[in-house]
Amino acid sequence: MTGMFYGLGVGPGPAGLLPVASLDILRRVDHIFAPRSRVSETSVAIEALRSLDFPRQRVREVEFLMDGDDRRIGEHYTALAREIAALGGQGQSVAYLTIGDAMTYSTLGYLVAALKREAPELPRRVLPGITSYATAAALTGFSLGEGKERVLILPCPDDLSTLTADIEHNDVVVLMKVGRRLSGVLDLLQNMNILEHCALAHRLGLDGEVVLPSLNVRPEAGKLGYLSVLLIRKHPPRRFS
């Protein structure tokens, strides 16, 4: 008897943005694996679901590993895949949660690859979730591309001269994984004189949420970098009259 694996994108934080299909799966699976950073006390994915009704006694928090060591990352997700495969072999179903969309800069990608390798016979289904940048764009009225504009989505590079080139060669840049580099990024945008038509969202739907439709008044970087997304527009949006 074979169980089932589900990869679920829970959205950026507001519980109301969880897809209905994902909520249905959450309510009926046998096990719910919720990744948690080793530096966090709780799983952000579970925080994003805090107002929803589902069997929380089935939740198990698992540490997610992203330390830059490909060997250690591979070993970590291989071990997790084998554990899930063992549960599947007993006819049990497992859901693995990830914030935002299931396959956009997500650790779920590593787990799916490991499951394909370690348990190819285990049925798998991945359901998409809403991205942080789509939510930020909706909240701030920021158009993610007009006409034939070029839109680039990328994690913040360590070398900000690379980011300068990215902005110069595209019309809109969605900047994820900003972290401690936020202050330097704000300096760059200020020097390019484009802060006014950029937006920032931090901890969407979670405690400490910050949504800034414009950066014409430069925010204090502080701790805003973690779980933040920047929407960068090289030129002001078109105005029709």
Side-chain angles (χ1 to χ4, degrees):
M1 186 175 182
T2 302
M4 183 80 179
F5 171 80
Y6 298 95
L8 305 181
V10 302
L17 297 184
L18 179 73
V20 173
S22 295
L23 180 57
D24 177 62
I25 289 170
L26 274 178
R27 287 174 171 167
R28 59 184 172 84
V29 291
D30 300 303
H31 304 275
I32 301 169
F33 283 28
R36 175 178 57 82
S37 166
R38 63 177 56 181
V39 298
S40 299
E41 294 184 359
T42 59
S43 165
V44 175
I46 291 298
E47 284 187 62
L49 305 175
R50 62 187 179 278
S51 63
L52 297 177
D53 178 29
F54 65 95
R56 294 175 183 270
Q57 71 274 15
R58 300 178 188 173
V59 173
R60 174 185 158 191
E61 293 191 1
V62 294
E63 184 178 288
F64 72 83
L65 188 65
M66 285 296 294
D67 64 357
D69 185 326
D70 288 347
R71 181 187 60 80
R72 279 169 42 82
I73 291 173
E75 291 174 349
H76 175 80
Y77 287 102
T78 294
L80 186 56
R82 289 173 178 168
E83 183 175 356
I84 291 170
L87 293 171
Q90 298 168 18
Q92 300 180 54
S93 55
V94 177
Y96 181 91
L97 311 182
T98 183
I99 58 173
D101 173 58
M103 299 298 282
T104 302
Y105 290 114
S106 168
T107 57
L108 178 61
Y110 297 102
L111 180 55
V112 168
L115 284 169
K116 288 179 180 179
R117 183 179 64 252
E118 299 295 324
E121 74 288 348
L122 179 66
R124 300 179 303 274
R125 184 183 177 194
V126 175
L127 278 74
I130 298 174
T131 62
S132 60
Y133 57 84
T135 306
L139 288 174
T140 60
F142 188 103
S143 178
L144 287 173
E146 299 175 345
K148 295 185 177 181
E149 286 183 332
R150 292 169 56 92
V151 180
L152 176 65
I153 303 167
L154 77 160
C156 185
D158 290 322
D159 182 357
L160 293 186
S161 64
T162 301
L163 178 58
T164 302
D166 289 329
I167 295 171
E168 290 175 344
H169 288 93
N170 295 276
D171 301 293
V172 174
V173 172
V174 173
L175 197 61
M176 305 178 70
K177 300 181 181 291
V178 182
R180 56 182 171 76
R181 295 172 289 270
L182 179 59
S183 181
V185 172
L186 293 175
D187 287 342
L188 185 154
L189 299 179
Q190 187 168 359
N191 292 338
M192 296 181 76
N193 198 31
I194 60 173
L195 274 175
E196 182 179 358
H197 34 273
C198 297
L200 181 147
H202 170 69
R203 292 185 60 85
L204 285 166
L206 305 172
D207 293 340
E209 177 187 79
V210 175
V211 178
L212 302 175
S214 173
L215 304 182
N216 56 337
V217 176
R218 174 173 167 160
E220 292 292 330
K223 297 182 179 179
L224 288 182
Y226 180 60
L227 289 180
S228 291
V229 58
L230 269 167
L231 308 178
I232 300 169
R233 179 170 282 281
K234 183 170 60 176
H235 301 296
R238 289 186 293 175
R239 300 286 182 237
F240 299 95
S241 58

